[in-house]
Amino acid sequence: MNESDKSPLTLRPAEPADAAAVAEIWRSGWIDGHLGHVPEELVAVRTPESFVVRAGERVADTTVAVVGGRGVVGFVMVVGDEVEQLYVGAASRGAGVAGALLAHAERLGREAGHERVWLAVASGNARARRFYERQGWVDEGAFDYPAVGPDGPISVPCHRYVKQL
C-alpha cells in the first residue's frame, strides 16, 4: 500500500467536475467485467465517448468515493430501488472502496423507504457475483436486462441480486 492509499475514504455526491473521472473508471471497469459476457451489439455502442456522455447525464444519481490526493477512485449510481452502477478503479480494488459504496447504496435505498434493493450483474462476471454474495446479496436468478442502447434496449444476460434492508 502506498502513502496515498492511507488517506481516509470519503463518499460525497458527485459534482459535474467529477464526470470525466467517473467516465474513465466506468469505462475501464465495464471492459473488465463485461467483455465476452455481453452481446457484441452492446460492446459496439459502449465507446469511450458514450461513457463521457452518460457520466455527465448521471451526476445527480452518482455518489463518488474519494481518497486523499488521488481524487475519485470509485462511484455508485442509485435510482429508486436499483443499484444501477458500481465501479472502482483498478488501483483501488481490494481496499474496501466497493464495500463502502455498496453499503452507502443500501442506506440510500433504506432512506427512500425501500424494503429491498436490487442490481443486475452480467452472468459471466464471476468476480462481481462473488463480491455481491460476500456482501450478503442473494442471486434471484437469470434474466435479460434491458441495457440502454442508441436505438432502444439491448438485451443482456444477467443475474438479479437482491438485498433485504
Side-chain angles (χ1 to χ4, degrees), residues 4 6 28 49 60 111 133 152:
S4 64
K6 295 179 183 175
S28 176
E49 297 78 21
E111 290 169 2
E133 290 166 5

Side-chain angles (χ1 to χ4, degrees), residues 78 80-81 106-115 117 165:
V78 179
D81 64 345
E106 293 167 9
R107 264 191 312 282
L108 290 175
R110 192 171 25 261
E111 290 169 2
H114 300 291
E115 293 182 12
V117 288
L165 302 176

Side-chain angles (χ1 to χ4, degrees), residues 7-150:
S7 299
L9 174 68
T10 302
L11 302 182
R12 63 167 172 76
E15 301 168 354
D18 298 321
V22 166
E24 181 51 36
I25 292 167
W26 194 356
R27 180 180 162 275
S28 176
W30 191 89
I31 289 168
D32 289 349
H34 292 82
L35 287 188
H37 307 301
V38 299
E40 285 303 314
E41 176 187 6
L42 185 60
V43 174
V45 299
R46 291 297 186 252
T47 64
E49 297 78 21
S50 75
F51 287 97
V52 171
V53 169
R54 292 168 64 219
E57 293 172 346
R58 301 294 305 277
V59 169
D61 303 327
T62 306
T63 298
V64 294
V66 179
V67 174
R70 293 178 52 204
V72 175
V73 298
F75 71 93
V76 65
M77 293 178 180
V78 179
V79 175
D81 64 345
E82 181 183 4
V83 179
E84 286 191 10
Q85 309 293 335
L86 172 62
Y87 288 94
V88 174
S92 298
R93 292 180 192 155
V97 176
L101 286 166
L102 188 59
H104 176 75
E106 293 167 9
R107 264 191 312 282
L108 290 175
R110 192 171 25 261
E111 290 169 2
H114 300 291
E115 293 182 12
R116 71 184 204 159
V117 288
W118 72 281
L119 54 83
V121 181
S123 294
N125 190 345
R127 182 175 52 89
R129 292 179 64 189
R130 284 190 305 270
F131 167 75
Y132 292 120
E133 290 166 5
R134 284 193 312 269
Q135 302 301 312
W137 287 65
V138 176
D139 182 353
E140 281 196 335
F143 79 113
D144 288 332
Y145 186 86
V148 176

